[in-house]
Amino acid sequence: MSRWEGLEEFVAVAETGGFSAAARRLGLSASHVSRQVQRLEERMQTRLFHRSTRLVRLTEAGQAFFQHCRQLQDGFDEALRSVLDLEQSPKGLLRITSSAVYGERYIVPLINELVAEHPQLQVEIELDNTPRDLVQEGYDIAIRLGRLSDTRLVAVRLAPRVMYVCATPDYLARHGTPTSLADLERHNCLLGISDSWLFQADGRELSQRVAGNWRCNSGLAVLDAALCGIGVCQLPDYYVLPHLHSGALVALLPDFQLHSQAHGVWALIPPRRNLSPKVRIVVERLRQRLAARPEYAGGAFA
């Protein structure tokens, strides 16, 4: 029996959190995966997983062994790539998930350019704002906006994301122009998914509760309400910059504008997939092309 036998199954169970999920990823039966992991535990004379009817989780020994196995797999993957020399020709299936509006406007056109250049690359793109478990669901890249929370993933910052508070000139003529965060309490704030807006002052992030008579969980709907003069909105740059440049909207509270390095447009990658040539090429293309966009190169709108 090979001393490597069972390692791939063990890593798949550890990453997916279950024998059935690992079996689906590997294209094997759940019983085969379970049997291989059990034989591995017997050879090592230690238990690697705590098992119950609803939960599979690593033991302390399993955690330590998992880290070493991932390093071994990464080394094997890198050696295999050096032999196959795939660096200049991305190929195979690439699964991407992205927030809907940003994905439609910015990500998909750049991905389409790559596919046109590399017809051996096959892509599946899911556009929605639902949080995804990249490992469990088999995604290679997730495009996410704002502050990151999942520290298990490799994160590449693709572009900044600046938040703008703005309103129409007509609304401001009727209700006045806010000059401080406290002034927002006297204005009709158009609400999205949160009752608080984020700001920045003296290098610190601030959270300000706001209220109004209008709410919707769609950024495009919030933008439309602002353009109708219903109230004040806070939206990312990619929603409002064209309207700020045209004069349809006026940027407010510039001294409190949120533009910290912690917030941005990110490519999130499962740790083992960040070494894949197709992933590296796609992420680098996105990073270069997004950074070159005029709204990012020009800095904040004033």
Side-chain angles (χ1 to χ4, degrees):
M1 179 181 294
S2 168
R3 67 186 201 176
W4 299 94
E5 189 172 349
L7 291 185
E8 186 175 20
E9 291 84 354
F10 163 73
V11 170
V13 174
E15 290 186 337
T16 63
F19 289 93
S20 296
R24 287 193 296 271
R25 174 195 286 187
L26 298 174
L28 303 170
S29 68
S31 60
H32 174 83
V33 172
S34 177
R35 187 164 54 250
Q36 289 295 89
V37 171
Q38 184 176 357
R39 289 174 178 173
L40 179 63
E41 289 178 319
E42 291 171 354
R43 295 203 308 276
M44 297 181 65
Q45 297 184 342
T46 188
R47 183 175 292 277
L48 299 173
F49 292 103
H50 295 295
R51 300 168 174 85
S52 70
T53 56
R54 294 185 300 175
L55 181 67
V56 176
R57 59 185 178 88
L58 288 165
T59 62
E60 184 177 357
Q63 285 279 6
F65 188 56
F66 176 52
Q67 297 303 320
H68 289 291
C69 286
R70 279 176 48 175
Q71 293 174 13
L72 287 172
Q73 285 203 336
D74 289 345
F76 176 79
D77 291 343
E78 188 171 1
L80 183 61
R81 281 193 302 276
S82 67
V83 174
L84 297 178
D85 192 26
L86 294 175
E87 290 290 336
Q88 302 304 317
S89 182
K91 60 182 68 175
L93 176 63
L94 184 75
R95 301 189 68 230
I96 303 172
T97 175
S98 173
S99 56
V101 174
Y102 195 89
E104 289 173 352
R105 292 186 180 179
Y106 296 100
I107 301 301
V108 171
L110 297 179
I111 297 298
N112 289 343
E113 288 180 6
L114 267 174
V115 174
E117 296 171 14
H118 303 282
Q120 290 182 298
L121 184 63
Q122 177 187 356
V123 299
E124 293 180 2
I125 306 173
E126 187 78 24
L127 297 179
D128 62 33
N129 298 317
T130 304
R132 301 284 185 179
D133 187 320
L134 271 63
V135 174
Q136 183 75 23
E137 299 183 49
Y139 285 101
D140 297 290
I141 304 171
I143 307 300
R144 289 293 176 254
L145 312 175
R147 180 183 286 277
L148 300 181
S149 57
D150 195 337
T151 58
R152 301 173 303 162
L153 305 174
V154 177
V156 179
R157 195 171 191 264
L158 301 177
R161 188 183 78 146
V162 179
M163 300 296 292
Y164 288 87
V165 174
C166 46
T168 61
D170 176 67
Y171 174 88
L172 297 175
R174 288 183 283 116
H175 300 282
T177 299
T179 59
S180 69
L181 300 189
D183 287 347
L184 291 175
E185 297 177 3
R186 298 191 294 271
H187 285 269
N188 191 36
C189 294
L190 306 172
L191 301 179
I193 60 175
S194 175
D195 293 330
S196 297
W197 290 353
L198 292 178
F199 296 93
Q200 186 173 323
D202 299 324
R204 296 183 301 110
E205 284 188 21
L206 306 173
S207 178
Q208 177 73 28
R209 288 190 64 82
V210 293
N213 68 352
W214 193 98
R215 181 192 293 271
C216 182
N217 64 345
S218 163
L220 287 175
V222 173
L223 173 62
D224 188 69
L227 291 170
C228 289
I230 296 174
V232 179
C233 71
Q234 185 184 55
L235 286 170
D237 42 24
Y238 56 90
Y239 283 103
V240 300
L241 279 179
H243 306 287
L244 293 173
H245 286 294
S246 72
L249 292 174
V250 176
L252 307 170
L253 302 172
D255 292 339
F256 300 95
Q257 188 176 61
L258 180 66
H259 50 80
S260 73
Q261 286 292 314
H263 293 262
V265 181
W266 304 89
L268 303 182
I269 312 160
R272 285 180 53 212
R273 295 182 190 170
N274 70 312
L275 297 174
S276 164
K278 62 188 176 185
V279 169
R280 287 207 305 273
I281 288 172
V282 167
V283 170
E284 184 59 21
R285 173 67 65 90
L286 293 176
R287 190 188 64 80
Q288 290 178 350
R289 295 293 296 277
L290 289 174
R293 291 191 63 87
E295 57 263 41
Y296 297 139
F301 183 90

